[in-house]
Amino acid sequence: MVSPLAVKGGEALRTRPWPAWPQPAPGVPAAVAEVLGSGRWSISGPYRGTDSHERRFARAFADYHGVPYCVPAASGTAGLMLALEACGVGAGDEVIVPGLSWVASGSTVLGVNAVPVFCDVDPDTLCVSPEAVEALITERTRAVVVVHLYSAVADMDGLTRVAERHGLPLVEDCAQAHGASYRGVKVGALATAGTFSMQHSKVLTSGEGGAVITRDADLARRVEHLRADGRCLSDGPPAPGAMELVETGELMGSNRCLSEFQAAILTEQLTLLDEQNRTRRANAARLDGLLGELGLRPQATSEGTTSRTYYTYAARLPEGALEDVPLTDVTGALTAELGFPVQPCYAPIPANRLYVPQTRRRYTLGPDHEARIDPKRFALPVCEDTARRTVTLHHAALLGDAEDMADIAAAFAKVLRHGADLAT
């Protein structure tokens, strides 16, 4: 007799623990202890005669991506806002962003008083396509943001051509793609600027944090000023005890700096990133085969992708299966079988309960602006269809082994087999 679904009182398919996340690198405790006793916990603290951990991480992260400049920031959200402002985006400008993404893809644009224009996505990669972006460009468009979503890399050849044809800065949001590459170049280094999040769930994390990378010296300097109250780091070391941040008066900013503790952790975590990404890729390939046999359609990536990063494993349910069952019931049943969270994919941002510009008085800039930022004006059929049929697993599951991948596939098979039970 086949056991009923765990959510219907049956026995769960799995009770063994899953890999934990985050997994601290061996050097993290010593690095944090060094900061603790250093007398300098932030870049705005007094210079102590040695490079700050923030400078060390910035060098390491820039070198990792093959670019000359990296400016760490307090969060991925901060990094996106810094990059947009550094590119000249401001009040009333339009910024084209994916309609399927974390809510910050829209709220960061609002945060610089600009207008997010939500773009539908490619049904296979779930990233914006060059054709869809170009169709939305108007005389008010000031920038395009591309998100490398879940495990896919967007079509950067086509997007770069569109941006160059219209003279627009192209910003890569790589919050979910640390270490991925396109035609041999790491993402973030392919456009005007690349932004990253180091929030708790990310494949490179210090709990919170972010960064902006670029090949453009002037843009990097603007980002530096914007994230440190209008100050930038001195060219050479100051006297011990003096401030390393110089008050240039070039550009007013705000405090969006990374702490020394976070920078120290990130420098150590970066040493594990490639190895962990290899493990995730190998397990994702196993899962592609196992779930493909069940009729699921794993997320694809663009043709130019040379290396994927799996922040989230995403797959579309088989056509004709579980169509009368709410996706949250499907993911709830999978979670109960595995003891590991399986989630629906993101809701389209205009329909996301977290995206409600009217709840913030700062965006009440007049009837015209309020009409332009009204989420109801966007129709995103591919995003909406994807959200109804796509399930996701966090990358921690991919740090397991072949037996773990078999358990995931077995849970999907069990839920698909008992679909009628979920419909009642």
Side-chain angles (χ1 to χ4, degrees):
M1 178 179 175
V2 178
S3 171
L5 292 172
V7 291
K8 297 293 185 178
E11 184 178 345
L13 187 144
R14 175 183 170 125
T15 57
R16 292 185 297 115
W18 291 90
W21 187 259
Q23 296 179 4
V28 164
V32 171
E34 181 187 333
V35 175
L36 193 62
S38 69
R40 188 179 189 186
W41 292 4
S42 75
I43 61 166
S44 57
Y47 180 69
R48 297 299 185 187
T50 59
D51 276 351
S52 67
H53 283 275
E54 201 240 33
R55 281 206 182 201
R56 292 179 226 178
F57 170 66
R59 279 198 301 267
F61 203 59
D63 289 347
Y64 179 79
H65 289 91
V67 299
Y69 306 105
C70 168
V71 183
S75 67
T77 294
L80 268 172
M81 292 175 69
L82 293 168
L84 289 170
E85 280 204 82
C87 288
V89 175
D93 294 333
E94 291 182 353
V95 179
I96 298 172
V97 300
L100 191 72
S101 182
W102 179 239
V103 65
S105 291
S107 62
T108 50
V109 177
L110 292 176
V112 296
N113 287 338
V115 176
V117 175
F118 295 108
C119 184
D120 216 347
V121 297
D122 179 272
D124 297 319
T125 69
L126 309 186
C127 299
V128 292
S129 70
E131 296 77 16
V133 167
E134 189 153 37
L136 293 174
I137 292 173
T138 72
E139 69 280 356
R140 288 174 144 176
T141 306
R142 189 60 182 267
V144 176
V145 176
V146 54
V147 176
H148 303 300
L149 190 73
Y150 293 149
S151 69
V153 178
D155 177 1
M156 291 304 295
D157 286 346
L159 289 165
T160 298
R161 285 194 294 270
V162 169
E164 290 178 346
R165 186 155 55 240
H166 294 273
L168 296 170
L170 180 62
V171 176
E172 290 180 84
D173 181 345
C174 310
Q176 303 182 2
H178 309 68
S181 61
Y182 183 90
R183 304 205 187 282
V185 179
K186 284 192 169 62
V187 299
L190 293 155
T192 311
T195 70
F196 295 81
S197 168
M198 283 71 165
Q199 178 266 346
H200 177 95
S201 67
K202 301 304 189 291
V203 298
L204 179 67
T205 181
S206 54
E208 293 289 355
V212 179
I213 65 171
T214 184
R215 301 181 188 277
D216 186 323
D218 292 335
L219 189 142
R221 187 171 178 86
R222 290 195 295 276
V223 173
E224 267 204 62
H225 282 80
L226 287 165
R227 67 82 194 246
D229 289 316
R231 301 169 293 175
C232 71
L233 290 166
S234 58
D235 292 333
M243 288 288 290
E244 198 171 1
L245 289 169
V246 179
E247 298 179 5
T248 66
E250 292 178 25
L251 181 63
M252 189 176 80
S254 304
N255 183 3
R256 292 169 178 163
C257 295
L258 191 72
S259 80
E260 284 291 274
F261 292 101
Q262 293 166 298
I265 291 170
L266 288 171
T267 304
E268 296 300 325
Q269 293 300 114
L270 186 58
T271 66
L272 297 182
L273 179 60
D274 286 346
E275 178 186 348
Q276 291 173 333
N277 277 342
R278 281 192 293 271
T279 299
R280 295 184 188 103
R281 278 194 293 273
N283 279 323
R286 293 187 183 102
L287 206 50
D288 284 350
L290 293 168
L291 296 186
E293 291 175 1
L294 297 175
L296 283 92
R297 194 175 78 200
Q299 180 188 18
T301 189
S302 65
E303 182 182 347
T305 304
T306 45
S307 183
R308 294 175 80 166
T309 292
Y310 284 82
Y311 166 68
T312 297
Y313 184 93
R316 186 180 175 91
L317 294 174
E319 297 305 318
L322 303 171
E323 291 186 346
D324 297 328
V325 180
L327 193 60
T328 52
D329 289 353
V330 176
T331 55
L334 289 164
T335 297
E337 297 299 335
L338 291 169
F340 185 91
V342 181
Q343 304 283 353
C345 86
Y346 295 135
I349 296 177
N352 191 314
R353 64 168 59 186
L354 301 179
Y355 188 77
V356 278
Q358 65 271 25
T359 64
R360 300 281 296 277
R361 251 192 109 250
R362 66 181 297 182
Y363 305 136
T364 56
L365 303 177
D368 176 66
H369 186 79
E370 290 166 48
R372 292 173 68 205
I373 66 172
D374 184 354
K376 296 184 182 66
R377 75 184 184 96
F378 296 98
L380 304 168
V382 178
C383 294
E384 291 161 7
D385 179 64
T386 299
R388 284 191 292 267
R389 301 291 295 163
T390 304
V391 300
T392 67
L393 295 96
H394 183 255
H395 65 83
L398 299 178
L399 291 174
D401 55 25
E403 186 178 353
D404 295 323
M405 301 308 105
D407 283 347
I408 292 170
F412 274 92
K414 183 177 178 181
V415 170
L416 287 168
R417 190 165 57 245
H418 287 275
D421 296 342
L422 289 175
T424 59

